[in-house]
Amino acid sequence: MCGIIGILGKTQAVPRMMEALKRLEYRGYDSAGVATVADGRLDRRRAPGKLSALEAVLADSPLAGLSGIGHTRWATHGEPTEANAHPHMTDRIAIVHNGIIENFRPLKDELLATGVRFEGETDTEVVARLLTRYLNEGLAPRDAFRKTLGRLEGAFALCVLISGDDDLMFGAREGSPLVVGLGDGENYLGSDAMALAGLSNRLIYLEEGDWAELKRGGLQVYDAAGNPVTRPVTLSQVAATMVDKGNHRHFMQKEIFEQPTVVAQALGRYLDPNEGTVRLPDMPFELADIPKVTLVACGTSYYAAQVARYWIEKIARVPVEVDIASEFRYRDPVYQAGGLAIFISQSGETADTLAALRHAKAAGQRIAALVNVMGSTMAREADLVLPIHAGPEIGVASTKAFTCQLSVLAAFAIKLGVARGLVDRAREADYVSELEQTPKLMARVLHNDGKMAEIARQIADARDILFVGRGIQFPIAMEGALKLKEISYIHAEGYAAGELKHGPIALIDEKVPVIGLAPKDELIDKTVSNLQEIMARKGRVVLISDNAEHEDGLLARFPMPPAGDLVAPILYAIPVQLLAYYTAVEKGTDVDQPRNLAKSVTVE
Ligand code: M6R
């Protein structure tokens, strides 16, 4: 979602801020802007649309200054117009904001009643006007900022410049992440480590309620009560070069093809091939004592949770509940004492998943976070962190994070089975050697990408596409449908193959392609029967399978290597990613930043 950069530097801020905003493009946005303070005077440039539009504005009307704040905005309150774009500015301050000010209406009414005038419709402008009012009342900047924070409800990360002072910047974090970067005679603020990559690798993650006063030569962090506090400095692993497409046309393509490497990395952290064992980070609780596992996530991470349910129940015989984070805490879930709740999130910042995590924590559950971003809020609030080691994922459509999530969840399921005495040493070693084959098999699937590009050409004109699978392939069918719809804008749904006859088969005609996921397992005959029912109604079936026996009447078959239950879902994720990717390319959509979507969804 929105991205923030703030620089108190020694060289011109605008080119550096534009570089940082480009690194933040992956988060999704629909307008952008920058502001500087130079010789005490604030000025700004903003533009709706992509950063190229802002670049054009800056080319016409450059902006000087060593201190600046910049923002990419994903519209929540008010359309993505120039007036609603950040920074918001008055004669006293300039401000950028991520999140939502929930009490902006009463605050706005209060300000309107005192004659304050508003330019746009955003909740952020209320903060700008309130802070200005306190400065106009004579408060010093630090006091005015603190008093403003005390009036705000909701989730926010703020970054503020003050007119009349080129060496002063304020930041605050409440519900939305904000990171301080420490430089050499410079200091920075950013919405994540990616914003600051290339500027600084020495980072301070502000904690909930923290606010900070930055100068070039110093920094003071305060907690919510206004007490000066010291927060630890962490070294960022995110390099600016990671935000690079290499030889690929899109980040998504690069990330799909990186999967054998990153899955090998992830498995390398969790498997010991010499010993034939799974190793997990140190546990603050006994795995063997867990009576129930609750898995909660959104989007693609939710489908990873659905696959994990099959593994955990089958291998470790522990009951598993899976839910979508935005539904979970509102249905008053029944927790089991001593239960483990695992929150799965690439970003570790998804607002709904974070809220669900806090709900489960308040109910006394043991909390694990399976995340890609180690400094993320979920990682910091969990009792146990299971990193997925996928490296930065830039494409909005999640690909490598999904297969790394699955790899770690498979390892977790085996370890749980071991802890409960259901998986003996020999079985554990078998599982480990099975999982060890995954990267090699993934590379074989990717080798056939040209075949999927051909299939994509044949289905790219469809209005609706169905994905079907049984058992552990059912979540992969849903993931395939999500991937396709989010980047190609073709309507797609994933169904359990056995459910088609209960309604969805009414949609089938010669215009509706159906993608069948059918590894040669104990369910293949049933899945193939379901696909034959579709073909009997003129549906165009693409079969993704290692079984070459059922090719009659198919639109196409995408060949897969044979794989067992532990590896097959990881492997079958690849063809559906490739199908979505090549279909989107065929349709000419914006693959990496599809319309209306954000990489990290930090509002509920
Ligand atoms: O960062 P998270 O894993 O918590 O994100 C959850 C979803 O927003 C995310 O998976 C989304 O569905 C992706 N765009 C799917 O490709």
Side-chain angles (χ1 to χ4, degrees), residues 67-238:
S67 307
I69 56 177
H71 194 256
T72 44
R73 172 176 186 254
W74 188 83
T76 55
H77 291 75
E79 287 180 28
T81 57
E82 181 180 343
N84 288 332
H86 299 207
H88 287 286
M89 209 173 92
T90 67
D91 57 337
R92 306 295 306 266
I93 63 116
I95 186 168
V96 293
H97 164 219
N98 286 359
I100 292 181
I101 306 298
E102 283 167 5
N103 61 336
F104 87 100
R105 287 236 167 266
L107 290 175
K108 188 166 182 173
D109 290 345
E110 177 187 319
L111 288 160
L112 285 167
T114 62
V116 172
R117 294 184 48 185
F118 284 79
E119 286 170 0
E121 302 145 81
T122 67
D123 50 339
T124 310
E125 193 180 346
V126 170
V127 189
R129 304 276 167 206
L130 196 60
L131 177 55
T132 301
R133 173 168 131 191
Y134 294 141
L135 288 166
N136 287 340
E137 286 173 2
L139 288 183
R142 184 189 307 148
D143 299 329
F145 186 61
R146 186 175 169 204
K147 186 165 178 182
T148 303
L149 294 178
R151 303 285 321 273
L152 306 180
E153 289 166 19
F156 50 83
L158 300 171
C159 181
V160 173
L161 289 177
I162 306 282
S163 73
D165 194 339
D166 293 12
D167 190 20
L168 182 60
M169 186 182 289
F170 290 104
R173 177 219 164 112
E174 179 68 55
S176 279
L178 193 67
V179 188
V180 178
L182 303 174
D184 181 14
E186 303 192 336
N187 278 316
Y188 323 97
L189 284 170
S191 43
D192 64 13
M194 199 74 86
L196 302 174
L199 291 171
S200 171
N201 67 346
R202 288 185 302 135
L203 308 184
I204 294 174
Y205 288 88
L206 295 185
E207 295 187 5
E208 289 298 338
D210 278 357
W211 55 284
E213 180 174 355
L214 281 79
K215 295 187 166 291
R216 278 184 182 71
L219 157 82
Q220 181 59 61
V221 179
Y222 300 90
D223 65 12
N227 304 309
V229 285
T230 305
R231 302 292 183 211
V233 177
T234 55
L235 281 185
S236 168
Q237 305 297 325
V238 182

Side-chain angles (χ1 to χ4, degrees), residues 297-303 344-351 353 370 378 393 395-399 401 405 479 482-483 486-487 594 597-601:
C298 299
T300 287
S301 300
Y302 169 67
Y303 297 133
I344 306 174
S345 173
Q346 187 284 130
S347 59
E349 300 294 350
T350 301
T353 313
L370 198 116
M378 281 181 225
E393 189 179 66
V396 162
S398 187
T399 52
Q405 286 168 343
E479 166 61 3
L482 174 65
K483 216 83 303 164
E486 71 178 332
I487 61 168
L597 294 182
K599 182 68 183 162
S600 176
V601 183

